[in-house]
Amino acid sequence: MPSRRSQEQLTELLDPATTVLLTVECQQGVVGPYSALPELAAAARSSGALANVARLVAAAHERGVQVMHAVAESRPDGRGGNHNARLFRAAARLPVQQYTGSTAVRVAPPIEVADEDLVVRRLHGLSPLAGTDVDPLLRNLGCRVLVVTGVSANIAIPNAVFDAVNLGYTAVVPADAIAGVPADYTPAMVRNTLALVATVTTTDAVLGSWKRPHGRAAGLGAATPA
């Protein structure tokens, strides 16, 4: 449980007016029951990460925090997609493909997509930010803090965090709302890599922050994230 001081700092940081909640590849073809990557889907569900993403999205909707869903997809002819790494070549041979317009690229339950949510789709690369509409959309929204959730802790999540930091955003990672494989890799990666560049926290701490008043109404001074 975070200390009172660290919770106050997190509350000040996660101002709904300047925070965006990003879900990464939380789509049916990745974390759903008919996933192309069943081991990853199982990890996302058994760890509680997917349920925690859904809790964060529901709270963001209630609190007025902008939600953005980053979806990875491909064309059936592969046009415009990457072929320059083993991962891409292996993905092209999987029995479930993330084709544009298919069920596989719909956001997976139990995550609810609201009318005000933004869904950003990419046909290339490893990151939801690099070469996509995410960065300009965040800037137009007045975003300063990006809460990164979803999968995988192996590739897309660290890419998203690094890109967010390089672009000048403050990255916040609820460690229990991301998943990767094998299961013990995720906490090691968070501890040894993401904690160096992001504010690492928990789903409950973020939810607690969004239940509390922000800014001057809270009577808090400027704070530095723990």
Side-chain angles (χ1 to χ4, degrees):
M1 178 178 294
S3 68
R4 179 176 178 180
R5 176 60 177 160
S6 63
Q7 183 66 59
E8 288 178 345
Q9 290 175 325
L10 188 65
T11 298
E12 186 73 6
L13 180 66
L14 295 177
D15 184 344
T18 55
T19 298
V20 171
L21 173 64
L22 179 70
T23 76
V24 178
E25 296 181 27
C26 291
Q27 57 203 74
Q28 295 199 35
V30 176
V31 296
Y34 304 106
S35 169
L37 304 164
E39 186 181 1
L40 178 58
R45 292 179 178 275
S46 64
S47 67
L50 188 61
N52 284 332
V53 175
R55 292 172 64 207
L56 288 164
V57 168
H61 290 158
E62 183 177 339
R63 193 67 177 86
V65 176
Q66 179 66 55
V67 178
M68 186 178 295
H69 306 280
V71 173
E73 58 184 44
S74 63
R75 289 168 50 110
D77 60 9
R79 194 174 295 270
N82 288 68
H83 307 282
N84 58 335
R86 203 172 105 195
L87 173 68
F88 301 120
R89 295 190 291 272
R93 297 192 296 269
L94 292 173
V96 177
Q97 292 294 312
Q98 316 296 321
Y99 288 149
T100 300
S102 70
T103 300
V105 297
R106 295 178 185 170
V107 176
I111 299 169
E112 297 283 346
V113 180
D115 289 342
E116 62 269 23
D117 292 1
L118 295 171
V119 180
V120 180
R121 304 178 182 277
R122 77 177 195 274
L123 292 171
H124 61 85
L126 299 170
S127 170
L129 275 75
T132 73
D133 289 337
V134 169
D135 179 40
L137 289 173
L138 293 177
R139 295 187 187 281
N140 288 345
L141 290 164
C143 176
R144 295 176 59 192
V145 177
L146 189 65
V147 181
V148 181
T149 67
V151 297
S152 74
N154 305 76
I155 296 174
I157 295 298
N159 267 273
V161 170
F162 294 150
D163 285 344
V165 172
N166 285 331
L167 289 166
Y169 301 102
T170 297
V172 174
V173 179
D176 55 355
I178 65 172
V181 291
D184 59 359
Y185 174 76
T186 300
M189 187 274 301
V190 170
R191 182 173 60 253
N192 295 301
T193 302
L194 295 189
L196 302 178
V197 294
T199 297
V200 176
T201 185
T202 66
T203 295
D204 284 345
V206 174
L207 296 178
S209 294
W210 286 340
K211 288 179 180 177
R212 302 175 68 179
H214 285 74
R216 294 180 181 176
L220 301 175
T224 301

